[in-house]
Amino acid sequence: MKLFFPSLYIGFLFALGLLFSCASPDASKSFLPEYALYLLNEDGSNSFFLKESLQDTGKSIEIEVPSKEFTREYIHKKGIFYHFKERNDYFIRYQLDANNQMIATDSILFKDGYLENYIWKNNTDTLLLFTVEKKTTAHGRMYVVDTKSFTLLREEALPFPSSIVNFNLLSIGVVDFVDDKLWIAYCYSKFLTADDYTTSDTMYYATLDFSSLDVLNLQKDTRSSYPGGVNTVQSYSARDDQGDFYFMSCPGVALGNNLAKPTAIFRKKKGMQEVDTSYMLDISETIHNHAYGFWYMGGQKAIIRSEQRNLYTDFSNHHSTFQFEYYLVDLSTKKLDKINIPLDKGTRKENVLVQGDYVYFAIDSEGEKHDIWRYTINDGQVDRISSISNSASYILRLDFLK
């Protein structure tokens, strides 16, 4: 469910254009960036900060984003970017050219909707996208796109009820694909006032036959609320080394807004259609706060990003308060250890990147600092390794381009 309240997106709903102009075209010809940081700048503009290395060594350039046609919500894979332009319902493919200008290369017209979630089918070029219609936010659809030829292979309505009792806003929060079956975690919300909403006390897990979209199994879970979230904005799930699937619920004020329910991590074991009801990692019970964002590191370890209720007033300053902490989570022992990096701001960001023996964090800390921090997995050492453009207000995303 994508709820477009101004207060929920302060500092974020600035757009990213389809055509970009490079600040230094001549220098870019010999520049081969490996990383892209997507910035919201102090003047309200957006830009990409492209780097050869996440350390201060190597070249970097900043690409201005002059247009306001494109939000920060995009899908990236191997240097190609995909975006669903909700204003006119076009799904667009674009990429950096030889001069590091971002150009649109193709588009597909979808039906009216908000993009809620996506998954790559078995790590192929086939992309599954899941939307909720704009008019009622009560009906979902699935689109299947061959990204190599950039053609629409299939589009079909999802077989979910439009409402549960008086909760009539559908949210498609987590998606998994195994053995030609779709597994979708979803929930329902409702408006309390024109600017406030809440989510029901039940999470739904549906297993669907991919060919027919017939529902093979439906499981209800009342241990938490609001599974996952819009994963073009932030990650909420991952598969571990053994093939078990983990996902996080987000009932905090920034997503589900059902504060009585705990933020928690759940597990669907390899080969199973149902969530393992014997497993629940209650994050809120341990840290006494809600959290958003889940990044798997390997070895049964993950990173989460938590708010601090005592530091922000309400949602009006939730995004601008330096409050966010990062925790190392052991999924097997359920132990949480805080990582020693400065407090971050920005309600939801895709700013954690796991690469080999390191985890990189793009952090916006007090004193107008916008830095890359490196966490060494083996020994827990933390280092600040580089700084980003002084014009930035938020680092919204960190992507590896290769």
Side-chain angles (χ1 to χ4, degrees):
M1 175 191 58
K2 190 164 293 185
L3 298 173
F4 287 98
F5 303 141
S7 62
L8 295 184
Y9 287 86
I10 295 174
F12 291 127
L13 285 182
F14 295 97
L16 177 66
L18 296 179
L19 296 177
F20 295 72
S21 60
C22 178
S24 180
D26 294 335
S28 70
K29 291 180 182 179
S30 60
F31 175 65
L32 298 175
E34 292 202 4
Y35 299 90
L37 293 102
Y38 182 45
L39 311 180
L40 173 63
N41 298 310
E42 292 179 350
D43 62 1
S45 67
N46 290 99
S47 61
F48 269 121
F49 197 78
L50 305 177
K51 292 175 66 68
E52 284 184 335
S53 167
L54 288 180
Q55 301 193 50
D56 274 332
T57 58
K59 295 181 180 179
S60 63
I61 61 171
E62 189 167 358
I63 296 176
E64 295 179 357
V65 183
S67 175
K68 292 188 177 181
E69 294 295 325
F70 204 126
T71 70
R72 66 186 176 131
E73 299 176 24
Y74 61 78
I75 300 164
H76 168 262
K77 187 176 183 180
K78 295 181 179 179
I80 300 177
F81 298 77
Y82 305 88
H83 172 68
F84 181 47
K85 192 175 179 181
E86 292 168 347
R87 185 177 62 83
N88 61 10
D89 301 311
Y90 274 97
F91 184 62
I92 302 165
R93 177 179 65 186
Y94 61 109
Q95 62 193 86
L96 291 168
D97 68 7
N99 293 319
N100 289 310
Q101 291 183 339
M102 192 73 79
I103 59 171
T105 60
D106 212 337
S107 64
I108 300 172
L109 181 62
F110 283 8
K111 291 186 178 178
D112 173 89
Y114 298 129
L115 182 59
E116 291 274 300
N117 232 273
Y118 74 91
I119 188 171
W120 294 94
K121 183 184 176 185
N122 296 331
N123 293 317
T124 65
D125 293 318
T126 302
L127 181 60
L128 312 182
L129 301 113
F130 301 86
T131 67
V132 171
E133 69 174 21
K134 295 177 188 175
K135 186 175 181 181
T136 66
T137 64
H139 302 284
R141 299 192 74 82
M142 179 187 73
Y143 295 86
V144 181
V145 175
D146 182 339
T147 58
K148 195 168 185 179
S149 63
F150 211 66
T151 55
L152 180 62
L153 303 178
R154 178 183 174 192
E155 65 96 4
E156 194 167 347
L158 294 173
F160 300 151
S162 59
S163 64
I164 299 294
V165 192
N166 62 335
F167 290 84
N168 61 351
L169 306 173
L170 172 66
S171 172
I172 302 168
V174 182
V175 181
D176 190 23
F177 186 91
V178 180
D179 297 331
D180 216 38
K181 294 180 180 64
L182 274 175
W183 181 86
I184 301 177
Y186 62 97
C187 62
Y188 294 91
S189 301
K190 68 177 179 180
F191 285 105
L192 299 174
T193 67
D195 297 316
D196 195 15
Y197 72 98
T198 190
T199 305
S200 78
D201 289 339
T202 304
M203 301 184 292
Y204 298 85
Y205 313 135
T207 302
L208 285 67
D209 177 81
F210 181 63
S211 299
S212 64
L213 290 192
D214 290 339
V215 178
L216 304 177
N217 187 68
L218 181 63
Q219 182 183 9
K220 299 179 182 180
D221 193 344
T222 59
R223 293 176 293 172
S224 184
S225 181
Y226 208 96
V230 179
N231 71 343
T232 55
V233 176
Q234 194 172 47
S235 298
Y236 305 96
S237 64
R239 194 175 308 284
D240 75 357
D241 315 85
Q242 289 75 44
D244 295 341
F245 184 78
Y246 289 85
F247 66 96
M248 191 168 77
S249 64
C250 299
V253 66
L255 284 177
N257 199 28
N258 186 338
L259 304 185
K261 293 288 187 177
T263 296
I265 296 172
F266 301 91
R267 177 178 67 190
K268 182 168 65 73
K269 299 192 76 174
K270 182 180 180 180
M272 302 300 293
Q273 294 184 10
E274 293 198 340
V275 170
D276 179 5
T277 56
S278 70
Y279 181 91
M280 175 178 170
L281 198 166
D282 192 329
I283 294 168
S284 297
E285 182 180 45
T286 301
I287 66 173
H288 308 294
N289 278 298
H290 287 288
Y292 317 91
F294 175 90
W295 296 271
Y296 186 66
M297 295 167 50
Q300 290 288 293
K301 303 290 178 60
I303 301 292
I304 63 166
R305 185 175 189 264
S306 72
E307 68 185 13
Q308 295 188 74
R309 183 63 186 91
N310 60 312
L311 296 184
Y312 70 92
T313 306
D314 52 34
F315 209 88
S316 65
N317 70 337
H318 191 271
H319 67 285
S320 60
T321 300
F322 298 100
Q323 59 161 314
F324 289 95
E325 299 178 315
Y326 293 83
Y327 284 85
L328 174 66
V329 181
D330 189 315
L331 298 172
S332 57
T333 65
K334 300 183 180 179
K335 182 182 179 183
L336 277 71
D337 292 305
K338 187 166 68 172
I339 297 174
N340 187 28
I341 53 179
L343 295 181
D344 193 16
K345 70 173 180 177
T347 294
R348 290 178 294 152
K349 305 195 292 188
E350 186 63 18
N351 65 326
V352 178
L353 180 63
V354 180
Q355 281 194 311
D357 296 330
Y358 303 102
V359 182
Y360 298 97
F361 300 84
I363 302 297
D364 304 305
S365 58
E366 287 192 88
E368 302 303 326
K369 296 178 181 178
H370 309 283
D371 300 323
I372 302 296
W373 288 79
R374 181 180 62 191
Y375 173 84
T376 304
I377 295 174
N378 291 337
D379 59 12
Q381 181 178 339
V382 177
D383 305 286
R384 188 191 68 82
I385 61 172
S386 64
S387 296
I388 308 304
S389 170
N390 292 331
S391 65
S393 184
Y394 296 88
I395 307 172
L396 301 178
R397 293 184 63 97
L398 169 58
D399 289 299
F400 181 58
L401 299 179
K402 303 301 183 182

